Amino acid sequence: MPCLTIPTQFGPLTLWEEDGAIVRLDWDGNGTDETPLLARAAGQMRAYDQGALQAFDLPLRVAGSDFQRAVCDQMALIPFGDTVTYGDIAKALGAPAQAVGLACGGNPIPVIIPCHRVMGAKGLTGFSGKGGVETKVALLRHEGAGGFLI
């Protein structure tokens, strides 16, 4: 599967493509594949990293259950700089908040599908990407959503 790694302030991010869609983003790898889609995704990621992009416009494919895809669809609706709770997403989907939390943790395309914008009922929770909660805080501060941390 073609992949491309780009340096960012959040660490080196590797974008993975399959059948014309971005299917994964992680902090592993040293991909050097330069497909048209990966080049476009890398450009958008660089723009996001520089504060010049607030919404990604890429074809995405989330593997997993219908519920996993539904949770990812809800997360994709959260605007740049905003946060919601697991309970908010659970209410929208008619599902338990704990199940939403597990699905958020299984998000295969973090940052682009902004699971970092989802909080627990009492505030900040974990993050499945490298660096855990520290990376989540860095992403939220980058988006100007870190006011709850003060």
Side-chain angles (χ1 to χ4, degrees):
M1 185 177 342
C3 65
L4 180 61
T5 302
I6 58 167
T8 73
Q9 64 182 299
F10 314 108
L13 300 179
T14 302
L15 299 153
W16 300 80
E17 175 187 350
E18 184 175 62
D19 297 327
I22 301 298
V23 295
R24 194 166 97 205
L25 181 148
D26 59 36
W27 280 258
D28 297 326
N30 54 359
T32 58
D33 299 314
E34 190 75 28
T35 70
L37 176 57
L38 288 173
R40 184 172 146 214
Q44 288 188 27
M45 187 57 67
R46 285 185 193 99
Y48 172 83
D49 185 49
Q50 295 167 3
L53 181 82
Q54 294 187 356
F56 292 91
D57 179 24
L58 298 165
L60 307 176
R61 185 174 322 102
V62 174
S65 68
D66 289 344
F67 183 72
Q68 176 72 52
R69 287 188 292 278
V71 170
C72 285
D73 288 346
Q74 288 293 310
M75 289 188 292
L77 297 174
I78 306 167
F80 181 94
D82 284 351
T83 59
V84 303
T85 66
Y86 297 109
D88 294 332
I89 294 174
K91 184 176 179 182
L93 296 177
Q98 185 177 13
V100 169
L102 290 172
C104 286
N107 174 14
I109 315 172
V111 183
I112 294 172
I113 298 176
C115 52
H116 60 278
R117 297 177 190 159
V118 184
M119 303 288 138
K122 295 181 181 179
L124 192 62
T125 55
F127 182 65
S128 61
K130 186 173 182 179
V133 73
E134 290 83 12
T135 301
K136 182 173 188 162
V137 168
L139 288 161
L140 292 169
R141 283 192 173 141
H142 173 70
E143 296 184 5
F148 65 89
L149 299 170
I150 298 172

